[in-house]
């Protein structure tokens, strides 16, 4: 799903409802929904109303499909601007006034909410059984520090290397995704290949968009930044940093930041051979008049990675908690995720949906390639790590300091010293050696 910390780029496209539209809710004294009633054929029929808060307009489709499945249910979806949503949600939850039954949490700040008392324990309601076949990293991002699931996503956000087929034939000698995947299966191979591309093109074409792609790919394959209250710098970061230095020193990257105007141009015009890109970022591809149909291919990156993600939790004091749980179960189901895959191309969270569709699912931009095979292998290999309140903020500081270090050609030790100073100033409760 197209939901990431860069999601603010798209939020302008979302219809913004007024605060009043989000206030006609159960906290104002509504009676609890009548969750189930017997139907004529003896099965149980859901009834009632749910209020869902989000920053993403696609949730309307989710609500509509749930209503279609359960005609006795009304799902009111209230959408708020992404730059205001987090503050508005926290304020409502803390005050207990005008609160939703179900609410969205973005990957960038889920760690700040996941242990809050106002989020219902979904494990106690039985959600673990629904998530047995989930991609591990997706499931664990909804887990609180006490080991219980508090939020669930209906999608994964896998990344990979996208490439223009004609460009790949010219500079790599093939456009076959399996062959290219092997050619870029390690950073050492990528560096050597990047040197050749730069020389072959006379310095006009680079293999990669940015050395920072190493950072993005490695970011969630490392240990948590904080352990037992202490700053923890995984030794992998040294390897990643030194790899970035080699990429920059050998002209392997074009120095184009993710989602920058130059990044989008290079993705479309072929001035870069490989673009590390999440599956949801295809909106950056210029497909006017179907000119990009069949133009691209997807190859594996050296490690699995993802970008962004949206999770849903239930307000602990919601009088409609049982109905809300049925909604959460629905979005976790293969039924919804299969529909969503076909309708939007959003990659599922369910491993079963991956397995059932990987031989048949197509994306018109990729021609006959089945991208789900690559995505499934990459995301399945990623570690499942529960979020915490520090992770994303500390990560962003490392991104800033290390990125500047690459630009200024600083040593790893100098970068670490600057990083520790930054963490110590921003997080006085973290012990920094």
């Amino acid at each position: 799903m197209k939901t990431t910390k860069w999601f603010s780029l798209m939020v302008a496209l979302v219809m913004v409802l007024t605060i009043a539209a989000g206030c006609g809710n159960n906290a104002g004294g509504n009676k609890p929904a009548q969750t189930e009633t017997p139907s004529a054929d003896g099965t149980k029929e859901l009834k009632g109303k749910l209020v869902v808060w989000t920053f993403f307009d696609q949730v309307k489709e989710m609500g509509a499909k749930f209503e279609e499945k359960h005609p006795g249910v009304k799902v009111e979806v209230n959408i708020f601007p992404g730059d205001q949503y987090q503050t508005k949600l926290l304020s409502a939850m803390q005050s207990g006034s005008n609160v939703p039954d179900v609410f969205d949490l973005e990957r960038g700040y889920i760690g700040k909410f996941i242990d809050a008392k106002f989020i219902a324990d979904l494990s106690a309601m039985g959600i673990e059984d629904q998530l047995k076949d989930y991609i591990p990293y997706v499931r664990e991002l909804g887990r609180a520090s006490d080991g219980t699931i508090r939020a669930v996503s209906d999608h994964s956000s896998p990344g990979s290397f996208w490439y223009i087929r004609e460009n790949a034939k010219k500079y790599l000698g093939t456009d076959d995704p399996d062959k290219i995947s092997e050619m870029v299966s390690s950073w050492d191979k990528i560096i050597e290949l990047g040197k050749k591309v730069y020389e072959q093109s006379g310095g006009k074409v680079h293999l990669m968009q940015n050395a920072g792609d190493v950072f993005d790919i490695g970011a969630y394959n490392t240990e948590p930044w904080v352990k037992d209250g202490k700053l923890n710098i995984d030794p992998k970061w040294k390897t990643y940093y030194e790899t970035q230095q080699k990429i920059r020193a050998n002209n392997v990257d074009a120095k184009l930041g993710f989602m920058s105007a130059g990044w989008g141009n290079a993705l479309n015009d072929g001035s870069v051979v490989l673009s590390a890109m999440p599956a949801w970022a295809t909106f950056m591809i210029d497909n006017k008049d179907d000119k990009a149909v069949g133009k691209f291919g997807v190859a594996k990156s050296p490690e699995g990675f993802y970008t962004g993600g949206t999770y849903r939790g239930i307000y602990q004091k919601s009088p409609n908690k049982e109905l809300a749980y049925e909604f959460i179960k629905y979005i976790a189901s293969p039924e919804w995720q299969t529909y969503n895959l076909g309708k939007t191309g959003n990659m599922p969270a369910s491993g079963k949906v991956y397995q059932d569709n990987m031989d048949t699912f197509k994306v018109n931009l990729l021609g006959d390639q089945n991208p789900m095979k690559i995505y499934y292998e990459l995301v399945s290999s990623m570690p499942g790590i529960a979020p915490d309140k520090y992770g994303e903020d500390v990560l962003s500081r490392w991104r800033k300091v290390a990125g500047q270090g690459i630009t200024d050609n600083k040593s790893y030790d100098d970068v670490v010293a600057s990083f520790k100073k930054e963490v110590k100033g921003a997080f006085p409760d973290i012990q920094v050696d």
Side-chain angles (χ1 to χ4, degrees), residues 32-248:
Q34 184 177 357
T35 308
E36 297 177 342
T37 58
S39 63
D41 61 2
T43 60
K44 291 185 177 180
E45 182 178 322
L46 301 181
K47 287 189 176 182
K49 177 183 176 182
L50 285 178
V51 175
V52 180
W53 278 16
T54 184
F55 46 81
F56 184 44
D57 65 346
Q58 200 174 58
V59 177
K60 288 183 177 179
E61 177 89 359
M62 188 181 295
K65 292 300 290 184
F66 190 67
E67 290 176 338
E68 183 180 305
K69 184 177 178 66
H70 303 288
V73 176
K74 170 65 178 175
V75 180
E76 178 184 310
V77 178
N78 294 338
I79 305 170
F80 302 96
D83 58 348
Q84 300 174 21
Y85 177 79
Q86 184 182 169
T87 300
K88 179 173 177 59
L89 178 63
L90 184 60
S91 177
M93 294 298 179
Q94 289 177 335
S95 68
S97 176
N98 300 319
V99 292
D101 300 300
V102 178
F103 51 89
D104 281 0
L105 296 171
E106 206 271 334
R107 170 64 185 101
Y109 53 76
I110 189 173
K112 297 177 182 179
F113 285 80
I114 200 70
D115 288 322
K117 293 181 180 179
F118 55 70
I119 301 183
D121 177 356
L122 301 179
S123 291
M125 302 176 79
I127 200 63
E128 298 280 1
D129 287 341
Q130 308 294 320
L131 308 183
K132 284 181 178 178
D133 76 332
Y134 253 45
I135 300 299
Y137 98 78
V138 180
R139 181 183 60 243
E140 296 309 307
L141 277 176
R143 197 177 294 280
S145 60
D146 65 0
T148 62
I149 294 289
R150 301 299 178 106
V152 172
S153 180
D154 67 324
H155 62 277
S156 53
S157 303
S160 60
F161 283 134
W162 281 63
Y163 59 88
I164 295 174
R165 290 183 178 276
E166 287 303 313
N167 221 26
K169 288 179 182 178
K170 182 175 181 180
Y171 294 108
L172 306 183
T174 181
D175 68 344
D176 182 273
D178 292 332
K179 292 180 180 179
I180 295 176
S181 294
E182 177 56 32
M183 294 168 73
V184 297
S185 60
S186 74
W187 292 113
D188 287 342
K189 288 183 178 181
I190 285 173
I191 291 168
E192 291 306 310
L193 190 61
K195 290 179 185 178
K196 294 178 182 178
V197 169
Y198 186 76
E199 292 172 3
Q200 182 181 344
S201 67
K204 294 181 180 179
V205 176
H206 298 269
L207 180 65
M208 293 174 57
Q209 292 268 16
N210 198 298
D213 291 349
V214 179
F215 173 96
D216 296 329
I217 292 171
Y220 302 119
N221 289 288
T222 53
E223 297 176 355
W225 285 104
V226 179
K227 284 187 174 182
D228 300 322
K230 298 179 180 179
L231 179 65
N232 175 55
I233 303 176
D234 191 315
K236 280 186 177 182
W237 285 115
K238 182 177 182 180
T239 302
Y240 289 143
Y241 185 78
E242 291 174 347
T243 298
Q244 287 177 282
Q245 286 181 310
K246 292 175 185 177
I247 287 173
R248 183 59 52 86

Side-chain angles (χ1 to χ4, degrees), residues 1 62 66 69 102 122 126-135 138-139 149 151-156 310-312 324-340 347-354:
M1 187 173 282
M62 188 181 295
F66 190 67
K69 184 177 178 66
V102 178
L122 301 179
I127 200 63
E128 298 280 1
D129 287 341
Q130 308 294 320
L131 308 183
K132 284 181 178 178
D133 76 332
Y134 253 45
I135 300 299
V138 180
R139 181 183 60 243
I149 294 289
V152 172
S153 180
D154 67 324
H155 62 277
S156 53
T310 304
Y311 285 71
R312 288 174 188 94
Y325 178 65
E326 293 297 326
F327 183 75
I328 295 295
K329 282 204 304 182
Y330 175 68
I331 69 167
S333 71
E335 177 185 351
W336 159 253
Q337 292 183 30
T338 299
Y339 168 81
N340 195 36
M347 292 297 110
S350 165
K352 182 180 186 303
V353 177
Y354 266 107

